[in-house]
Amino acid sequence: MALEAETKSIVAKFDYTDDDVNKAVDEFLRQMGEGLEKDGTSLSQIPTYVTGVPNGTEKGLYMAVDLGGTNFRVCSIQLNGDSTFNLTYTKVAIPKELMVAKTAEELFAFLAKQIELFLKTHHEEQFVAHIRRRMTVSSPDGFRDENVFRLGFTFSFPVQQIGINKGNLIRWTKGFDIPDAIGKDVCALLQIEIDKLHLPVKVAALVNDTVGTLMARSYTAPGKTGAVLGAIFGTGTNGAYVEKLANLKKPLTGEYDKSTGDMVINTEWGSFDNQLSVLPNTPWDIALDKTSVNPGIQMYEKRVSGMFLGEILRLVLLDLVKNPNVSFLRDDNSNSNDWKSTTTIAQNSGIYTPWGLDTAIMSVAAADNTPELSTLRQELESTLNIYSPAYDDAQAFKAIAGAVARRAARLAAVAIAAIVLQTGKLTDPASADEPIDVGVDGSLVEHYPYFRDMIYETLRIIKGVGGEGAKRIRIGIAKDGSGVGAALIALVAANMEKNTTPADYFAELRFQAISHHLTTVPEDGETAATD
Ligand code: BGC
C-alpha cells in the first residue's frame, strides 16, 4: 500500500495541467517573437536560408550525411521526381570518445573516413573514375568541375547559419562536448577532411534534421501547400517551420531568394524557456540538469526528448529504492513476491549508473498490458539486471514511466500548437479546407506507444486550436528526413550555384559536357581541357 500511495504522489508531480499547457503555449509564442527580433534569446529562431519547400517533382542523385545523435549515417539518394526516392545508406555508431574529443579535427576526420568507405562500397565507379581523372589532369583547377557529388550535411546541433552551406556552431547538445569546434564553420571543418582524402564530394548544404524532416515531408506527401512544420522527438527535440519573411526582423547576412516571401526557421526549441517561467521543474529535473554536460540550457529538451526521459525516470526510481518507508524492488521474503522469489538488483544494474536506463524500456512498459506485466518484468531483468521484480514493482515502474512520458507528450503539443498558431493557418479562410501538415521523426514519436495520441489529446484543449483545429492538424511520420531532406536542399543549393554568375554557368556547361563525354566547351574564351 505504501508503494502505491508513494507512486501516486510521484505521478502527481509530473502532472502538467490544461492550464499549465495553455500558459506555456502563450509563452512559446512570445519567445518565438522575441527570437525573430534579435539574437541571443532563449528560442534561437535561426534563419536557414531555405526559402521554399519542395513539391515532389525534384530529381537527381545526391549524397547526404547525418550527424546528430548516437549514429553517423552516410547515404546517397536518387530523387525520382514523382514523390518517390531510392536511398542507400550505411550507419555507424559514433565512438563515445569522439563525442568529447579534444579537437574538432578528430571527429570530422572520422566522418570523412566514413564517407570514403561509403563511396568505395556503393559508388565504386564514380570513385575510381575520380581517382583516374585526378591522375591525368595536370592543372590544379583542371578537375574543378568534374563529376562531384553534392552533399547535404545534416548537422543536428544549434548553428548560426550564414549561408546555405556555411554555419558556425553555437553550442553542442545531446552529450557532445568539443569546445574546440564552437564558433567554427562546420561545413568547412568537414570539407577540409574530405579534401585531405581527395574525395569527389562538395559539401553543398548545411541542414538541421528538423529542416530535412520538413523538406522530406513536403516531397513525399505533397498537398497544395506543403508541410508547415518538421519536428524531431528523438534523442533530442527541435522543430523547423515556414515563417513569413516579413516577420523576420533580425538582420540576415547571407544571400537568399526573396521571391517566395517565406523562410524556413530552425527554432532550436530545445532551449525554449531556459529561464523556467512555465516549464515544470521537479526535484528530479533539477538533479538531472546539474549532472548534464550543459546545465541551465536545453531545458525543454531535458523534459521532452529520449536522451533525458530515461534518466529522469532512473533518478525517481533510485529515490524510491532508497526510501525506507516503501518496499520497492525489495521483498521481505519470497512469499511477498508473486513470482515466489526475492528481487535482486545486481550491483552493475543501470539503475545505479548515471544515464544507465535506456528510454526504450519506457516504451516496453507502456505497451505491456499483460495481466502480470510479464514483458516488462523480463525487460527489467534483461536490460537492467533487476532479477525477479514483483508485480507491484512493475506496476509502480509502469505508472511513473507513463507519467514522465505523458508530461513529455503534453509539452510536445505545446510547441506544435504554438507553431501552428503562429502560421495563422487555422484562421486563414484561404486555407480553411486544407490539412495543416506536420512531419515528425525520432525514436520517441515512432516507438513510444500512443505518443501521438497524447499529443492530439492535448492539442484539443489548447485555446485557439480546440477539437476542430486538432482535426485539421495532420501529424505524419517523415522517415529519413535527414537523408532525403538534406538531398533536397543540396539540390536547391546546386541550382543556386548554377544561377550565380555567367562564369559559373559556363563551368556547369563544361561539367555537363565532360561528364557526358561530349566535345569541349570553351571556358571564358579559352579552350577547355577534357579528361
Ligand atoms: C539540437 C537540434 C536538433 C535536435 C534533434 C537538439 O539537441 O539542438 O539542432 O534538431 O536536437 O536532433
Side-chain angles (χ1 to χ4, degrees):
M1 271 323 272
L3 178 59
E4 206 181 313
E6 187 58 24
T7 302
K8 262 205 186 124
S9 117
I10 292 171
V11 164
K13 295 199 170 95
F14 285 94
D15 254 0
Y16 199 57
T17 66
D18 293 356
D19 196 33
D20 294 336
V21 166
N22 275 299
K23 281 200 183 103
V25 173
D26 288 346
E27 181 59 15
F28 201 104
L29 279 161
R30 193 193 69 73
Q31 293 189 21
M32 280 178 83
E34 193 178 56
L36 290 172
E37 266 171 33
K38 51 180 192 256
D39 284 332
T41 55
S42 196
L43 261 181
S44 300
Q45 298 283 66
I46 301 169
T48 61
Y49 294 86
V50 176
T51 53
V53 294
N55 61 15
T57 60
E58 293 76 8
K59 279 186 185 170
L61 176 65
Y62 293 89
M63 274 192 84
V65 294
D66 175 12
L67 178 75
T70 19
N71 296 306
F72 180 61
R73 290 209 323 163
V74 186
C75 31
S76 57
I77 301 104
Q78 179 72 50
L79 300 168
N80 299 326
D82 57 357
S83 286
T84 70
F85 59 86
N86 297 79
L87 185 138
T88 311
Y89 80 90
T90 54
K91 185 163 98 171
V92 46
I94 301 160
K96 283 257 176 329
E97 62 276 14
L98 286 186
M99 295 181 176
V100 291
K102 278 228 165 58
T103 63
E105 186 185 338
E106 287 167 67
L107 175 67
F108 285 83
F110 170 82
L111 306 186
K113 196 76 204 152
Q114 304 310 314
I115 297 174
E116 181 180 48
L117 278 174
F118 178 86
L119 285 175
K120 280 186 180 158
T121 316
H122 297 288
H123 295 277
E124 204 192 348
E125 225 172 81
Q126 280 106 320
F127 189 69
V128 172
H130 169 75
I131 302 286
R132 217 179 24 237
R133 225 174 276 135
R134 276 185 56 78
M135 291 192 316
T136 53
V137 172
S138 50
S139 119
D141 274 357
F143 48 82
R144 186 182 59 191
D145 47 6
E146 68 191 78
N147 199 359
V148 287
F149 276 104
R150 295 298 193 264
L151 176 138
F153 182 15
T154 301
F155 183 77
S156 306
F157 300 94
V159 162
Q160 194 60 54
Q161 210 150 343
I162 36 184
I164 200 138
N165 70 346
K166 248 195 196 67
N168 301 331
L169 177 63
I170 302 173
R171 62 178 179 275
W172 289 106
T173 59
K174 294 174 283 195
F176 279 71
D177 188 20
I178 310 169
D180 174 47
I182 306 280
K184 292 190 179 154
D185 174 9
V186 292
C187 286
L189 289 176
L190 182 60
Q191 189 71 59
I192 290 169
E193 300 306 319
I194 287 174
D195 292 347
K196 280 188 197 162
L197 299 176
H198 306 298
L199 306 179
V201 174
K202 173 175 178 188
V203 183
L206 177 60
V207 187
N208 186 269
D209 52 356
T210 54
V211 182
T213 301
L214 175 64
M215 295 290 131
R217 178 77 186 166
S218 295
Y219 180 78
T220 55
K224 248 196 269 167
T225 50
V228 297
L229 166 65
I232 302 283
F233 298 101
T235 308
T237 183
N238 187 17
Y241 74 105
V242 184
E243 180 59 276
K244 291 175 199 68
L245 270 174
N247 291 339
L248 186 56
K249 303 278 165 33
K250 57 187 176 191
L252 287 172
T253 44
E255 285 299 309
Y256 60 97
D257 168 14
K258 298 183 181 65
S259 65
T260 63
D262 292 329
M263 185 173 285
V264 175
I265 301 289
N266 167 13
T267 63
E268 283 300 334
W269 73 34
S271 263
F272 164 57
D273 198 31
N274 281 343
Q275 54 274 44
L276 299 180
S277 55
V278 291
L279 285 177
N281 203 25
T282 67
W284 305 289
D285 294 306
I286 296 169
L288 177 145
D289 183 49
K290 264 195 198 140
T291 57
S292 68
V293 293
N294 52 0
I297 52 175
Q298 300 291 109
M299 297 306 245
Y300 174 83
E301 180 166 81
K302 284 172 182 161
R303 286 148 180 80
V304 173
S305 79
M307 170 153 180
F308 303 97
L309 299 188
E311 181 62 4
I312 298 177
L313 175 62
R314 189 190 72 85
L315 291 167
V316 178
L317 297 178
L318 203 56
D319 275 357
L320 210 50
V321 167
K322 289 188 196 147
N323 185 337
N325 305 320
V326 294
S327 103
F328 177 63
L329 300 173
R330 190 183 332 128
D331 303 300
D332 291 339
N333 57 54
S334 59
N335 238 352
S336 53
N337 183 316
D338 63 317
W339 274 355
K340 300 294 171 227
S341 181
T342 49
T343 312
T344 310
I345 311 178
Q347 241 169 9
N348 67 355
S349 168
I351 206 166
Y352 295 132
T353 321
W355 310 95
L357 189 150
D358 190 332
T359 301
I361 197 175
M362 295 170 69
S363 297
V364 176
D368 187 1
N369 290 316
T370 59
E372 290 187 351
L373 295 178
S374 44
T375 315
L376 172 60
R377 290 161 80 180
Q378 273 153 21
E379 192 73 10
L380 287 168
E381 292 205 342
S382 59
T383 63
L384 284 175
N385 299 337
I386 297 172
Y387 304 110
S388 304
Y391 174 66
D392 298 353
D393 299 330
Q395 246 187 341
F397 186 103
K398 183 175 160 91
I400 296 167
V404 174
R406 187 176 149 77
R407 188 185 73 167
R410 290 176 74 79
L411 286 166
V414 166
I416 294 174
I419 285 181
V420 168
L421 289 170
Q422 169 79 5
T423 66
K425 295 253 179 211
L426 283 171
T427 46
D428 177 4
S431 51
D433 305 326
E434 285 170 34
I436 299 168
D437 206 80
V438 174
V440 289
D441 197 4
S443 44
L444 206 56
V445 68
E446 243 195 294
H447 301 305
Y448 191 88
Y450 313 116
F451 198 77
R452 248 189 299 177
D453 303 60
M454 291 191 287
I455 292 179
Y456 271 113
E457 182 192 289
T458 314
L459 287 174
R460 287 194 282 272
I461 60 91
I462 292 175
K463 277 187 269 146
V465 179
E468 285 308 304
K471 266 192 217 150
R472 284 186 55 203
I473 302 175
R474 185 172 69 185
I475 304 176
I477 297 278
K479 274 298 291 166
D480 291 322
S482 45
V484 183
L488 284 159
I489 298 173
L491 179 149
V492 172
N495 287 340
M496 276 169 66
E497 273 174 44
K498 257 189 238 165
N499 297 333
T500 41
T501 65
D504 283 348
Y505 176 67
F506 278 115
E508 175 65 19
L509 271 185
R510 285 179 66 238
F511 158 53
Q512 294 293 346
I514 293 167
S515 56
H516 292 99
H517 301 286
L518 303 175
T519 47
T520 57
V521 176
E523 184 189 31
D524 300 340
E526 291 170 26
T527 307
T530 55
D531 51 335

